[in-house]
Amino acid sequence: QLQKGEGREFLKSQRDLIIQMYQTSELDNLRILQQSLNDFERLYAYLENKHKKHVVFMKDLVMLFFVLSFEIKVGHFSCRDLEKWQQDIFRNGMGRLFDTPNDLEKENNEKENKKDYLSKYGKYFIGIIVHRTIFSELMLSHILEDGFFPEDDIKQELDDLPVYFPSKEPWRNLWHWRDQKSEELDSMLEQFEQDFKERKYSDIGVILHVFGLRLFFSENGLLTQGTAEVEKECRQYVDEIVSSLSEENFDFET
């Protein structure tokens, strides 16, 4: 029986989205669905009003939580596979910059040997799990695999979500470029490109995100440079800064 409470009421409001994810999963297992609903209600207790009022964030959180919960509970996926899966998806977009033919052949062989249970949920879900990073891999493992909800750590990770809540760093806000007003988007893109030209990005994880954004913006007409020129500029960026990087720069920021 459904329990009363704010979390349960919110889940009722997300009924259509949850059913869509459940149908896509093809699990046909109501026990797993009920367990996932109960688990999300526990997580909901840690959300602040700013999270609950952010429609896009709440939608993305529901998708992330229920998709991973379904696939983990049925044994199709483990959080320890998440980083590798993210890298594979990201490499598909960045491969022409860095991968060798041997890398691509190895990747194709790995795909043949291991079924991808997440991509069936579509590009929007892939965008959530690859680029928006609501929770760390460790936190997702705690919540979805161990049933452990570390309150302080959950609140700390929820406090650092610049993709959804405005950041001073333009590249972070540009993940949601479709949601920006045209005049704000123009300003963000201008500052984004200026920061790129001034080589302000030094964290390797941030650099890869920035490169991916520039390629995407080029392909969709938001930059005047073509993709070949953007690829060349990104290679030049790496060549110019690689000698100045320290070990700390290789601690990937998400």
Side-chain angles (χ1 to χ4, degrees):
Q1 297 294 323
L2 297 181
Q3 301 175 2
K4 295 181 179 180
E6 186 182 353
R8 184 61 63 177
E9 289 303 310
F10 169 76
L11 287 170
K12 288 180 181 178
S13 74
Q14 300 296 306
R15 179 178 180 274
D16 291 345
L17 178 59
I18 295 171
I19 288 176
Q20 179 186 345
M21 296 298 99
Y22 180 71
Q23 291 175 338
T24 302
S25 73
E26 299 181 340
L27 294 186
D28 193 24
N29 189 316
L30 292 177
R31 180 176 58 84
I32 287 179
L33 174 59
Q34 186 63 59
Q35 289 174 347
S36 298
L37 288 167
N38 292 338
D39 290 344
F40 187 91
E41 192 171 6
R42 291 180 64 190
L43 176 63
Y44 189 87
Y46 298 108
L47 302 181
E48 299 177 10
N49 286 333
K50 70 175 182 179
H51 304 127
K52 297 172 185 176
K53 293 179 180 179
H54 196 300
V55 176
V56 174
F57 168 73
M58 293 304 296
K59 174 187 175 182
D60 290 356
L61 179 62
V62 167
M63 291 187 70
L64 172 73
F65 188 95
F66 281 91
V67 167
L68 291 183
S69 182
F70 292 156
E71 298 300 332
I72 287 170
K73 290 183 186 300
V74 81
H76 287 165
F77 196 77
S78 170
C79 287
R80 66 175 176 269
D81 299 324
L82 186 57
E83 183 177 359
K84 177 63 166 58
W85 186 86
Q86 290 172 321
Q87 291 173 350
D88 289 344
I89 295 295
F90 195 77
R91 189 182 295 117
N92 286 339
M94 296 292 290
R96 58 180 176 269
L97 276 178
F98 301 109
D99 280 345
T100 66
N102 288 337
D103 292 330
L104 296 175
E105 182 179 357
K106 180 180 179 182
E107 180 182 343
N108 289 333
N109 290 336
E110 289 176 350
K111 285 182 179 179
E112 291 178 2
N113 294 330
K114 186 173 183 179
K115 186 174 180 180
D116 180 355
Y117 287 99
L118 299 185
S119 292
K120 65 187 175 186
Y121 293 95
K123 292 182 179 179
Y124 190 90
F125 169 75
I126 292 174
I128 295 171
I129 201 169
V130 174
H131 302 306
R132 303 179 192 178
T133 317
I134 294 176
F135 281 121
S136 65
E137 176 186 337
L138 179 60
M139 183 58 66
L140 289 172
S141 179
H142 283 327
I143 294 173
L144 297 170
E145 296 178 334
D146 304 330
F148 173 50
F149 289 70
E151 180 175 358
D152 291 342
D153 293 336
I154 287 175
K155 290 182 176 179
Q156 181 176 344
E157 292 200 9
L158 288 174
D159 280 341
D160 185 23
L161 293 170
V163 172
Y164 299 95
F165 305 98
S167 168
K168 294 180 181 180
E169 300 175 84
W171 75 268
R172 291 183 180 273
N173 296 324
L174 285 172
W175 282 122
H176 286 287
W177 64 274
R178 289 187 178 88
D179 299 325
Q180 307 294 343
K181 296 179 181 179
S182 59
E183 60 272 18
E184 294 176 353
L185 178 60
D186 290 342
S187 176
M188 288 180 185
L189 281 170
E190 182 179 351
Q191 186 61 53
F192 174 69
E193 283 295 276
Q194 186 63 35
D195 289 346
F196 180 88
K197 292 176 181 177
E198 295 177 3
R199 305 304 192 236
K200 289 189 176 181
Y201 308 110
S202 58
D203 177 274
I204 298 300
V206 171
I207 289 171
L208 290 176
H209 283 305
V210 167
F211 287 2
L213 277 171
R214 296 191 79 241
L215 284 169
F216 177 82
F217 291 153
S218 174
E219 292 168 352
N220 288 273
L222 287 146
L223 293 182
T224 57
Q225 305 95 313
T227 55
E229 185 177 354
V230 167
E231 290 172 16
K232 180 180 178 181
E233 290 174 348
C234 289
R235 292 193 188 95
Q236 290 175 340
Y237 193 110
V238 173
D239 291 340
E240 290 178 20
I241 71 167
V242 67
S243 62
S244 64
L245 297 179
S246 65
E247 290 185 5
E248 292 180 354
N249 296 118
F250 289 84
D251 291 333
F252 277 40
E253 183 176 325
T254 55

